[in-house]
Amino acid sequence: MKVPNHIAIILDGNGRWAKAKGMPRGYGHIKGCANLENICDDIKDLGVKYLTVYAFSTENWKRSREEVEGLMKLFRSYLKKCMKSAEKNHMRVKIIGDPSAFAPDIQEKIRELEEFSKDYDELYFQIALNYGSRDEIVRGVRKLAQDVADGKCTPSEIDESLLENYLDTAGVPDPDLLIRTSGEQRLSNFLMWQLAYTEFYFTDVPWPDFHKEDLIKAIEKYNSRDRRFGGVKEE
Ligand code: FPP
């Protein structure tokens, strides 16, 4: 089985999973968070080199105050625990998105985790927090425009690879496989630039129930497809 180099996952369905069990949405997020820790181990075992997950979008602030506060609490404890996971899996962790909207202590935890894990190179784990693809492109273009204004580059030098350097994912190869759990078939403003040639896999399984066997099923499906990049079949 050929394992994708980079898997991206839209973690969806925590709320519905909890509701189906007669529990509050926050319970679903707690279970979803625990599942993320397990999937990180599985991804590492399978030999995948890059994992990117969509954990909190720029739109998610619109959820109820109670739910947003619960998620912030979860991020605090997860970012702390993630250091152990980084150490165990020799995993470098990078947050993509705009962290400036988070409370100062969360921003500090993000910095600590990124600094702590920066020399690990067996798995590169990107967590999208306060992330939106349009926001990422706007922030990147703003920085690029500033560099043009400062004379660091000229408009004619701007091409795809230069623009990519201004995205949050600079230096990271594009995902080979995107998985979205829980039945929805949308991108929801996730990695729109980076997913241009990615294979998509949608499953009805809600995120808290998505385990290693589901991951393997997604990879098998990916294997059964002919990957084409603008008409050229990948060997
Ligand atoms: C989608 O389920 C999930 C989220 C908006 C939050 C994702 C968070 C986690 C998996 C846990 C925490 C992650 C980290 C990195 C600490 P939903 O609420 O949209 O579910 P629904 O579609 O059923 O309502």
Side-chain angles (χ1 to χ4, degrees), residues 11-16 25 29 33 36 55 60 63 75 78:
L11 314 171
D12 197 11
N14 294 342
R16 278 166 286 166
R25 295 175 59 81
H29 294 317
C33 188
L36 183 58
N60 285 154
R63 296 191 172 195
F75 294 157
Y78 178 80

Side-chain angles (χ1 to χ4, degrees), residues 3-234:
V3 173
N5 187 46
H6 185 172
I7 296 183
I9 310 179
I10 300 178
L11 314 171
D12 197 11
N14 294 342
R16 278 166 286 166
W17 178 88
K19 196 173 168 220
K21 293 191 155 18
M23 299 296 281
R25 295 175 59 81
Y27 178 70
H29 294 317
I30 291 169
K31 290 293 179 187
C33 188
N35 194 41
L36 183 58
E37 290 186 59
N38 296 334
I39 286 286
C40 261
D41 295 349
D42 298 336
I43 286 264
K44 167 79 193 309
D45 291 349
L46 288 164
V48 176
K49 293 288 178 210
Y50 296 85
L51 169 67
T52 303
V53 300
Y54 204 8
F56 192 81
S57 76
T58 47
E59 299 301 303
N60 285 154
W61 297 105
K62 293 182 191 144
R63 296 191 172 195
S64 74
R65 216 179 101 181
E66 189 192 355
E67 184 171 351
V68 171
E69 278 173 7
L71 280 167
M72 295 303 134
K73 206 169 143 199
L74 201 55
F75 294 157
R76 284 186 174 91
S77 69
Y78 178 80
L79 290 166
K80 217 164 134 192
K81 267 196 281 179
C82 199
M83 288 217 191
K84 283 211 170 66
S85 186
E87 198 171 20
K88 183 175 75 171
N89 288 325
H90 289 178
M91 162 176 104
R92 179 174 180 184
V93 188
K94 171 95 196 303
I95 305 304
I96 58 168
D98 179 6
S100 68
F102 292 111
D105 70 301
I106 296 185
Q107 294 185 42
E108 184 53 30
K109 283 189 172 65
I110 289 173
R111 276 192 293 272
E112 276 170 20
L113 177 58
E114 288 183 338
E115 176 61 26
F116 173 80
S117 65
K118 72 178 190 317
D119 294 325
Y120 291 131
D121 61 1
E122 287 178 35
L123 174 64
Y124 194 113
F125 180 33
Q126 299 187 113
I127 309 173
L129 287 178
N130 191 31
Y131 176 88
S133 206
R134 290 181 177 181
D135 179 65
E136 175 192 34
I137 292 169
V138 168
R139 285 184 289 104
V141 167
R142 204 177 282 147
K143 273 187 256 160
L144 175 54
Q146 189 60 55
D147 281 354
V148 171
D150 293 345
K152 291 183 186 155
C153 63
T154 63
S156 61
E157 282 169 344
I158 299 172
D159 60 11
E160 291 181 14
S161 66
L162 185 79
L163 182 53
E164 265 170 6
N165 290 335
Y166 289 83
L167 298 179
D168 297 343
T169 53
V172 171
D174 290 341
D176 303 286
L177 172 65
L178 168 80
I179 298 170
R180 181 168 187 154
T181 57
S182 210
E184 307 293 342
Q185 302 196 359
R186 290 190 292 274
L187 275 190
S188 302
N189 205 10
F190 186 47
L191 301 177
M192 291 187 313
W193 173 283
Q194 298 87 341
L195 295 174
Y197 291 100
T198 303
E199 296 288 333
F200 291 0
Y201 178 85
F202 299 105
T203 171
D204 289 337
V205 177
W207 174 250
D209 284 341
F210 186 90
H211 303 309
K212 191 174 186 178
E213 57 275 17
D214 302 294
L215 185 60
I216 291 172
K217 235 190 252 176
I219 297 175
E220 280 171 354
K221 185 82 187 168
Y222 163 84
N223 269 264
S224 72
R225 293 176 186 165
D226 281 349
R227 289 204 76 198
R228 288 179 188 276
F229 297 88
V232 181
K233 190 176 165 199
E234 196 189 31

